[in-house]
Amino acid sequence: SSVRNLALTAALSDTLGQRSKEGAFDFTAYWRHSVGVALCARALATKFRCSRENAFAAGLIHDIGQLVLSTCFPQHMAAVSDYQKRFDCQTNEAEWAVLGTDHGRLGEALTMSWGFPPALSDAVGGHHDPERLDASSLASLVHLADAITHALDLAGREAELVPRIYPPCWNAAGLSWAESQAIFSEVEQGFNALCDMLS
């Protein structure tokens, strides 16, 4: 429900707000991106025949592996960040090079151990892995929402990189130009309203 999603967002923002000044990881950018993906996933949900609530929840926690890595293993995340800056690559590519896995796989293992629904865990684990994406799945929806949110630069990062969109995911959405512009506008307006509410 909308109330559950608002509570989940508030809890996450409170957790991140407490840690925003600790270490090198940018918790504020993480939170802003997570909320943006949640809103974008919700806006895209009908295109993928998913519930808006499940889409929002999946978008909000899709990078939970990054949160755990940065909280529990800050020195590892610092090495990932250094690698990413050095080679100008995506975060998950730097994670594979430095850690031998990525935040998606870690997040999937965690959400499975916490008893999350399989589709939600799959969305967390598969949003950066085109080989695992069924074009109409919740993971594909989050993959597309993640890329769009990076393109909208809602995180406010200086060197924002937009990941490549897996073509079958884009095709599954079937967005017209007008629909895509409406979704961008809905996400930006919802993002500003939610940030105002939570600040």
Side-chain angles (χ1 to χ4, degrees):
S1 73
S2 298
V3 173
R4 181 191 68 185
N5 287 335
L6 184 58
L8 185 58
T9 305
L12 184 58
S13 69
D14 184 57
T15 300
L16 297 178
Q18 291 173 13
R19 295 186 165 273
S20 62
K21 295 178 181 167
E22 298 175 19
F25 186 74
D26 190 339
F27 284 91
T28 299
Y30 171 91
W31 174 80
R32 289 173 62 90
H33 176 69
S34 297
V35 169
V37 174
L39 292 166
C40 190
R42 186 176 68 184
L44 289 165
T46 55
K47 289 290 187 178
F48 286 84
R49 297 183 180 88
C50 293
S51 81
R52 287 170 58 86
E53 290 77 18
N54 287 344
F56 186 94
L60 192 63
I61 68 164
H62 77 290
D63 279 344
I64 193 76
Q66 275 190 3
L67 180 62
V68 172
L69 279 169
S70 62
T71 303
C72 300
F73 305 100
Q75 67 280 18
H76 292 80
M77 280 303 286
V80 167
S81 179
D82 289 344
Y83 185 97
Q84 185 179 12
K85 289 173 188 168
R86 196 165 139 218
F87 293 99
D88 193 26
C89 62
Q90 297 289 337
T91 301
N92 64 305
E93 294 169 343
E95 289 167 347
W96 277 106
V98 174
L99 306 174
T101 190
D102 71 2
H103 64 274
R105 298 284 175 95
L106 175 60
E108 179 179 31
L110 288 167
T111 54
M112 286 174 66
S113 73
W114 294 336
F116 280 48
L120 204 57
S121 293
D122 185 59
V124 171
H127 72 277
H128 284 305
D129 191 352
E131 292 183 6
R132 292 180 54 188
L133 294 177
D134 169 352
S136 61
S137 68
L138 185 58
S140 290
L141 165 59
V142 172
H143 169 78
L144 182 56
D146 178 61
I148 290 171
T149 304
H150 278 295
L152 292 173
D153 193 20
L154 297 180
R157 293 185 181 104
E158 225 175 88
E160 188 71 85
L161 294 176
V162 179
R164 181 179 176 273
I165 295 173
Y166 184 49
C169 296
W170 179 258
N171 295 339
L175 292 174
S176 68
W177 173 259
E179 286 173 326
S180 65
Q181 297 307 301
I183 284 173
F184 299 162
S185 177
E186 178 183 338
V187 170
E188 288 177 327
Q189 289 175 17
F191 181 82
N192 292 331
L194 196 51
C195 285
D196 288 344
M197 189 185 308
L198 294 171
S199 62

